[in-house]
Amino acid sequence: MKPRIVIVGAGHGGIQAAASLREEGFEGDITLLSEDPALPYQKPPLSKGYLQGKQTDEAILFRSANWYTTNQIDLQLGVSATHLDPATHQLTTSAGDTLTYTHLILATGAANRRLPLPGADEVLYLRTLADAQQIGDRLAQAERVAIIGGGFIGLELAAVAVEKGKAVTVIEYQPRLMQRVLPPVISDVFGRTHLQHGVQLRLGVGLQAIQKQGHSHTLTLTDGQSLTADLVVAGIGVIAETGLAASAGLVCEDGIRINEYGQTSVPDIYAIGDCAAHDNPYAGKCLRLESVQNAVDQAKTVVSHLLGNPRPYRAVPWFWTNQYHLKLQMAGISAGFDTYVIRGDEAADKFSVYYFKAGKLLAVDSLNRPADHLNARKLLEAGVTPTEAQITDLIFNLNGVL
Amino acid sequence: MPKVTYIETSGKEHLVDLPLGATLMEGAVQNDVKGIVAECGGSCMCATCHVYVDDAFLDRLPDMEEEENEMLDGASAERRANSRLGCQVRISNQLDGLIVRIPDKQ
Ligand SMILES: Cc1cc2nc3c(=O)[nH]c(=O)nc-3n(C[C@H](O)[C@H](O)[C@H](O)COP(=O)(O)OP(=O)(O)OC[C@H]3O[C@@H](n4cnc5c(N)ncnc54)[C@H](O)[C@@H]3O)c2cc1C
Ligand code: FES
């Protein structure tokens, strides 16, 4: 019998897995299930260029409809995997089919964490194209926008909304923006820039209650203050989509547990991307990463392993965010750093921060310094630590230390 | 619609019609041209949509922004005078007949 690989989820991970399988010469059947009814698209633009109206529906597609046909990928849109039986290698779908696979790749992503508050059922969340379209429509009508959560998605939304002339308030429970991943040297630049554009920042306070009054909502904060908004959007983190895996008995922690080749506790089932908990060499611990890089590189790792050319997952983590004129590119994982060195011009919002731990380069955040970012990925991959003098010398080409 | 020819490193050619306003990166990805990765989806963040454009068209291309210029310095394949990031070049009628070569790595 011809081998058949079934992929669940057609986001960055699932699409890359299908593409790599064909590029690497896999000739068996590929079935790609997508709960989302839309032709598969990229998520990062949803909170950036797409919402701004600068990128069209077409422009954010991974591939044209044609591509799936020419590459013989059986893409099933609007179909979700509902039941998995690892013992018989069978997967049941919402279309009523039972698919028998030789290997299964779970690329189910993550779902938005929801506000656990009464009255919050009209709060919007952003994850899918349909969400973005709904937020876009509502944004066009709204005057006052409240955003719950000062993480990447919330802040990208805040920037888009304020640039459309809306009165925007961001409510963040932590005392700083993007606190989980960015130290003050970077997050303060973002805080200042949002304020300069007229965004109100309410830091260190939580949302206590939300009440609908006519067409608007009254939000009561934990410091006793309140505000009114016509549109409330929350970006308060995600929860890995592990339901299918967990009910089939696969080991799940915060995410589906995988080894360095992407295999779950059942070796012929792989998991990749936002849903997968893995030991990350750059973090020095088991975690999930929510990034395009991680989904794409884990897909490639799994395909190599499947096709008999195993290469453990060692890719340098990287991520980006775009807000106003600020383009931030992150390489490595800076958590746990003890010192840092700055390269570039802080006053001009054009600098990179090189983080060290015990004298070793850990991560680099580059603000409007794209060449530094690309170099940093190479340095981290090679495990090379430049000296402080080399970093601060703007004439010195950091490629030179490789 | 303007026509663009993409030439893969294997020598394989793709002659495609691109809608006005589409980028060279989108044209490659949507038409299954091999060798364009475009990991960041056109945000000028990854430098994996590097292309070499035909010299005859160099002065008809849209100007390069500083960030594209800097990203190209970090691209995997050799940077040449005719290097561009495919996601930063939008198709106009002036670019009808353009030839685009794909580098050996991204
Ligand atoms: C608004 C937004 C902005 C972002 N910006 C950035 C950014 O700037 N840079 C960056 O690196 N990352 C960004 N991310 C994160 C990035 O998009 C994700 O890390 C990436 O999409 C993960 O890919 P994935 O394949 O693991 O999951 P996803 O892309 O989430 O795809 C999973 C898919 O699986 C489907 N699915 C789930 N369960 C089932 C089932 N049972 N059956 C069938 N299908 C199922 C879902 O419909 C979903 O489409 C952003 C995310 C969002 C939402
Ligand atoms: S697609 Fe990433 S830089 Fe062009």
Side-chain angles (χ1 to χ4, degrees):
Chain A
M1 200 188 82
K2 227 180 171 187
R4 177 197 229 174
I5 295 176
V6 176
I7 304 169
V8 184
H12 285 270
I15 294 290
Q16 184 64 48
S20 292
L21 279 167
R22 286 300 182 229
E23 276 162 27
E24 307 288 324
F26 176 71
E27 287 176 354
D29 293 333
I30 301 178
T31 301
L32 179 54
L33 301 180
S34 172
E35 193 168 68
D36 197 310
L39 195 60
Y41 55 86
Q42 317 193 22
K43 295 194 169 74
L46 296 181
S47 51
K48 310 179 183 78
Y50 183 78
L51 209 57
Q52 285 173 319
K54 288 186 187 159
Q55 276 173 295
T56 60
D57 288 51
E58 273 276 86
I60 67 169
L61 294 180
F62 284 111
R63 308 282 178 156
S64 64
N66 230 352
W67 180 82
Y68 300 91
T69 332
T70 41
N71 284 282
Q72 294 183 311
I73 293 162
D74 171 25
L75 172 65
Q76 302 192 14
L77 294 177
V79 175
S80 55
T82 50
H83 181 75
L84 166 61
D85 183 4
T88 58
H89 283 200
Q90 284 184 334
L91 188 73
T92 314
T93 76
S94 59
D97 295 329
T98 299
L99 309 174
T100 306
Y101 58 83
T102 33
H103 289 92
L104 179 68
I105 302 176
L106 299 173
T108 48
N112 286 317
R113 193 183 293 281
R114 299 195 154 245
L115 279 170
L117 283 179
D121 35 303
E122 287 196 18
V123 173
L124 301 185
Y125 300 85
L126 177 54
R127 179 92 197 160
T128 65
L129 180 63
D131 294 338
Q133 287 163 342
Q134 188 186 14
I135 290 173
D137 290 346
R138 292 280 307 278
L139 197 56
Q141 314 288 327
E143 278 165 22
R144 295 156 303 174
V145 180
I147 291 170
I148 319 296
F152 292 115
I153 293 180
L155 293 175
E156 287 170 0
L157 279 171
V160 173
V162 86
E163 285 183 329
K164 286 184 189 280
K166 314 296 172 184
V168 180
T169 306
V170 173
I171 297 150
E172 167 56 55
Y173 191 69
Q174 301 292 339
R176 283 196 297 112
L177 300 175
M178 303 174 284
Q179 167 152 318
R180 196 168 58 90
V181 280
L182 293 179
V185 58
I186 300 276
S187 68
D188 288 352
V189 179
F190 281 86
R192 176 171 33 84
T193 308
H194 278 283
L195 291 173
Q196 279 162 356
H197 282 81
V199 173
Q200 303 269 337
L201 299 178
R202 297 288 175 83
L203 303 178
V205 290
L207 181 63
Q208 194 159 55
I210 174 164
Q211 257 181 329
K212 187 155 193 224
Q213 279 164 342
H215 287 296
S216 62
H217 305 263
T218 301
L219 280 63
T220 309
L221 307 184
T222 48
D223 63 359
Q225 298 206 24
S226 65
L227 65 122
T228 318
D230 332 301
L231 172 61
V232 186
V233 187
I236 52 169
V238 298
I239 302 165
E241 240 354 309
T242 57
L244 186 68
S247 60
L250 273 58
V251 174
C252 295
E253 290 150 20
D254 165 33
I256 308 168
R257 192 68 167 94
I258 57 168
N259 66 13
E260 58 190 340
Y261 300 109
Q263 292 170 292
T264 67
S265 55
V266 177
D268 46 28
I269 302 179
Y270 296 84
I272 57 178
D274 282 15
C275 68
H278 64 281
D279 287 315
N280 192 291
Y282 290 89
K285 62 175 184 185
C286 175
L287 45 59
R288 289 187 311 106
L289 288 176
E290 292 151 18
S291 70
V292 168
Q293 170 278 320
N294 179 62
V296 166
D297 287 329
Q298 284 186 337
K300 292 178 183 166
T301 299
V302 162
V303 168
S304 300
H305 189 261
L306 263 169
L307 301 183
N309 175 27
R311 282 177 284 142
Y313 182 64
R314 298 255 188 279
V316 178
W318 64 272
F319 189 81
W320 75 93
T321 183
N322 248 352
Q323 298 162 36
Y324 314 105
H325 68 289
L326 302 174
K327 284 205 166 202
L328 177 66
Q329 294 164 289
M330 290 153 267
I333 294 176
S334 64
F337 71 91
D338 49 38
T339 50
Y340 65 79
V341 171
I342 290 181
R343 175 181 175 90
D345 185 350
E346 275 188 272
D349 292 342
K350 216 172 162 12
F351 64 97
S352 295
V353 186
Y354 292 72
Y355 303 96
F356 299 86
K357 187 178 183 180
K360 192 171 176 290
L361 185 67
L362 201 58
V364 181
D365 288 338
S366 302
L367 193 62
N368 297 325
R369 298 262 314 173
D372 285 353
H373 169 71
L374 293 174
N375 280 336
R377 278 156 57 180
K378 293 177 194 158
L379 293 172
L380 289 165
E381 191 179 347
V384 172
T385 297
T387 64
E388 179 168 350
Q390 288 167 335
I391 291 172
T392 50
D393 177 0
L394 287 182
I395 309 297
F396 184 76
N397 180 351
L398 283 171
N399 264 339
V401 298
L402 284 169
Chain B
M1 282 197 268
K3 287 191 191 314
V4 172
T5 305
Y6 292 93
I7 307 180
E8 296 176 5
T9 39
S10 66
K12 186 173 172 192
E13 296 190 9
H14 301 253
L15 176 63
V16 302
D17 292 319
L18 290 191
L20 286 175
T23 68
L24 289 181
M25 178 278 282
E26 288 160 17
V29 169
Q30 300 302 337
N31 291 287
D32 208 5
V33 176
K34 292 204 172 48
I36 295 288
V37 180
E39 220 166 349
C40 77
S43 306
C44 202
M45 289 285 176
C46 69
T48 62
C49 61
H50 182 191
V51 294
Y52 300 127
V53 294
D54 192 67
D55 289 332
F57 287 80
L58 277 183
D59 53 355
R60 280 180 253 171
L61 293 176
D63 287 343
M64 195 184 290
E65 303 264 347
E66 178 53 23
E67 67 180 346
E68 179 185 352
N69 185 21
E70 284 186 39
M71 289 293 279
L72 277 169
D73 281 339
S76 295
E78 176 202 6
R79 178 170 185 176
R80 301 184 188 152
N82 60 351
S83 284
R84 291 296 302 252
L85 290 179
C87 67
Q88 301 302 306
V89 179
R90 285 194 188 280
I91 281 297
S92 61
N93 282 324
Q94 283 183 307
L95 296 181
D96 188 26
L98 180 69
I99 298 170
V100 175
R101 289 186 175 74
I102 312 296
D104 56 354
K105 53 180 187 259
Q106 293 288 351

